[in-house]
Amino acid sequence: PNLTTLMATLAGNLFELGEVTALRVLDIDLPASYAAQFPGPKFGVAGTREKAGVHGRPIIGTIIKPSIGLSPKATAELVDALCAADIDFIKDDELMADPPYAPFDARLAAVMPVLHKHADRTGRMPMYAINISGSIDEMRRRHDAVVAQGGTCVMASANWIGLSGLQDLRAHTAVPIHAHRNGWGAMTRHPALGYEFRVYQKVLRLAGADQLHVNGVQGKFWEPDSSVIASAASCLAPFAGVQPIMPVFSSGQWAGLAPVIHDQLHSHDLMHLAGGGIIGHPDGIAAGVASMREGWEAAREGIPLAQYAQSRPALRIALAKFGGPNA
């Protein structure tokens, strides 16, 4: 059971053959007895929910922005405001790992007391996926620092730490791994080259990812909604006895998109992350978080957003601010 050899066999020098002008990996399946020899997710959907303390609905979250220039103190202040709004999940930007203006250790030291303060208040630890991307030794050290201070999640840029890096982190981890897929577009965007997402998520599932980005519906990136929904569904679909992983919707998201996801995915096992859709709410962060939850309540109850928003100011103002076809 060697994942690098599996990938070299599946998608190695075949791409280099001179007579081939287009080649795309559409799917892969494995015998359950073979797949069971790989680490697989340690936490997956169920373990992520347990660590986050969120059941029966999507996990609502946001991203720490800006990705450059934010000091540890400013980061902690933003985390404090987000946690005061009872947000479920916060993640670092993929560009924020260990920069000189906000070193990892200083950022962690600033943020963790804030998370514990709100955990004491609510009885539920906010899940913060702090970016530990780096060499294997760096990731182990950073992971251990997170766990020692009571953190409940770590994040890594899956494409750039590599499959072996992800497998090593999976073997070492005591908390869920939030896999960021930045760079994935280079592997899939041309329809005649690369991989389908269903293949990609299966490989990362084997390596041990627990949560994986799938893009966002009606977002800022190139991908059509049908592809985004199919990607999320593939993360939750059965695969060779390997447990499902949590799909992460992100990019241009806001409360009004909850019915789009709900009606097409037919599941609430997901993370719905909104940056401006929460932090840019005209009535502030707490209203932004409330609007996201209200959007999902309306979607799951089958009530039109405009009707549900009549008695819910946070959702009503989000609809007016962010608009769109579901407003």
Side-chain angles (χ1 to χ4, degrees), residues 241-253:
V242 183
Q243 69 168 312
I245 56 177
M246 185 72 84
V248 181
F249 287 80
S250 182
S251 158
Q253 301 302 280

Side-chain angles (χ1 to χ4, degrees), residues 99-155:
Y101 58 84
F104 175 88
D105 292 329
R107 235 171 50 251
L108 182 65
V111 165
M112 288 309 304
V114 174
L115 297 177
H116 282 293
K117 178 183 75 172
H118 289 282
D120 291 342
R121 175 179 64 83
T122 65
R124 179 172 68 97
M125 184 69 165
M127 180 172 274
Y128 189 157
I130 190 164
N131 188 359
I132 66 169
S133 300
S135 69
I136 286 176
D137 287 344
E138 288 170 333
M139 289 193 294
R140 286 183 177 184
R141 186 191 70 78
R142 291 170 186 167
H143 163 275
D144 291 350
V146 170
V147 172
Q149 296 187 47
T152 58
C153 193
V154 293
M155 170 182 144

Side-chain angles (χ1 to χ4, degrees), residues 146-171:
V146 170
V147 172
Q149 296 187 47
T152 58
C153 193
V154 293
M155 170 182 144
S157 293
N159 295 324
W160 313 131
I161 67 168
L163 293 177
S164 294
L166 180 56
Q167 283 186 282
D168 186 89
L169 182 57
R170 160 62 177 86

Side-chain angles (χ1 to χ4, degrees), residues 35-109:
Q37 298 178 79
F38 293 96
K42 189 169 188 177
F43 295 90
V45 172
T48 291
R49 285 196 174 282
E50 188 65 31
K51 287 286 188 182
V54 177
H55 302 278
R57 63 170 176 82
I59 294 174
I60 303 300
T62 193
I63 309 95
I64 294 293
K65 299 281 189 177
S67 54
I68 55 172
L70 201 65
S71 69
K73 180 176 182 292
T75 301
E77 289 170 351
L78 179 54
V79 170
D80 192 23
L82 290 164
C83 291
D86 291 336
I87 201 163
D88 304 321
F89 178 86
I90 304 166
K91 64 167 282 290
D92 274 347
D93 188 87
E94 68 273 15
L95 300 180
M96 187 187 298
D98 191 29
Y101 58 84
F104 175 88
D105 292 329
R107 235 171 50 251
L108 182 65

Side-chain angles (χ1 to χ4, degrees), residues 177-267:
I177 300 170
H178 185 92
H180 198 293
R181 75 178 197 179
N182 61 88
W184 163 241
M187 305 177 196
T188 195
R189 189 165 181 176
H190 195 288
L193 190 66
Y195 306 79
E196 290 288 331
F197 184 88
R198 70 175 69 91
V199 179
Y200 177 72
Q201 65 83 18
K202 287 177 177 179
V203 174
L204 294 192
R205 240 205 266 197
L206 290 173
D210 298 295
Q211 307 157 13
L212 180 59
H213 282 241
V214 299
N215 222 337
V217 295
Q218 299 179 20
K220 64 186 179 184
F221 295 132
W222 67 276
E223 196 170 0
D225 286 0
S226 58
S227 175
V228 175
I229 295 296
S231 295
S234 72
C235 291
L236 299 172
F239 166 54
V242 183
Q243 69 168 312
I245 56 177
M246 185 72 84
V248 181
F249 287 80
S250 182
S251 158
Q253 301 302 280
W254 66 287
L257 298 177
V260 178
I261 299 172
H262 177 270
D263 293 348
Q264 296 183 44
L265 186 61
H266 308 294
S267 176

